[in-house]
Amino acid sequence: MKILVINGPNLNMLGIREPDIYGRTTYADLCGLIENHAAETGVQVELYQSNHEGDLVDKIQQAYEKTDGIVINPGAYTHTSVAILDALKAVAIPAVEVHISEVDKREEFRQISYVRLACFATISGRGVNGYLEAMDLLRERIHES
Ligand code: CA2
């Protein structure tokens, strides 16, 4: 089983600033946690981060028929990107939306998610652990199908 974990803009800056909102785990630490969890659960994982909307769309398209599940934290594009929503719908790969912070309790603009419409679950406010929970949800979903 192959899972693609996608992170959007500024998530490469994790742990560097705003630790009160996003914690102290760096992006490199996050990648390590995800890779360890994948190894423990027998999953093949690919990690991808970009600050560019079109690159994120390209990566989702490239996953078509090659990836069993997608974990995606689209960062700020969550709240604006119909292009990422459409890409997820186009490939029709089971996807889980992740947010480190509890977006539904933050500014009004962060409470809107376009991407959510193409995801079967959303995990928000669980810190970096949310990525691991999303991988577990995907494994369950893929085993059932
Ligand atoms: O809570 C999340 O995971 C977010 O997707 C993170 C995004 C934000 O725009 C979303 O509304 C919620 C921000 C990505 C990280 O931004 C940083 C800002 C300063 C320092 C480190 C990271």
Side-chain angles (χ1 to χ4, degrees), residues 9-11 13 17-18 22 73 75-76 79 99-101 103 110:
N10 296 310
L11 284 152
M13 300 290 283
R17 298 209 29 213
E18 300 200 58
Y22 300 116
N73 182 348
H79 321 298
H99 297 288
I100 296 168
S101 64
V103 277
R110 288 188 209 273

Side-chain angles (χ1 to χ4, degrees), residues 43-144:
V43 165
Q44 198 189 331
V45 74
E46 182 183 352
L47 290 142
Y48 181 76
Q49 189 277 330
S50 174
N51 294 324
H52 306 281
E53 185 175 19
D55 289 345
L56 295 166
V57 169
D58 285 345
K59 191 67 192 176
I60 293 166
Q61 287 186 8
Q62 285 157 14
Y64 182 62
E65 290 187 337
K66 292 197 189 82
T67 298
D68 302 299
I70 295 177
V71 172
I72 184 162
N73 182 348
Y77 288 138
T78 305
H79 321 298
T80 61
S81 181
V82 178
I84 293 174
L85 165 65
D86 286 347
L88 288 170
K89 282 191 167 172
V91 297
I93 298 169
V96 180
E97 175 191 24
V98 171
H99 297 288
I100 296 168
S101 64
E102 200 166 1
V103 277
D104 288 337
K105 300 238 167 90
R106 296 182 63 192
E107 302 96 321
E108 223 170 290
F109 69 86
R110 288 188 209 273
Q111 297 176 25
I112 295 159
S113 171
Y114 290 97
V115 172
R116 192 165 301 178
L117 299 170
C119 297
F120 74 85
T122 295
I123 296 173
S124 162
R126 312 272 301 149
V128 291
N129 226 37
Y131 290 86
L132 313 186
E133 291 175 20
M135 291 167 74
D136 292 342
L137 277 184
L138 272 177
R139 268 193 306 117
E140 283 166 24
R141 177 81 165 212
I142 294 162
H143 275 141
E144 281 164 11

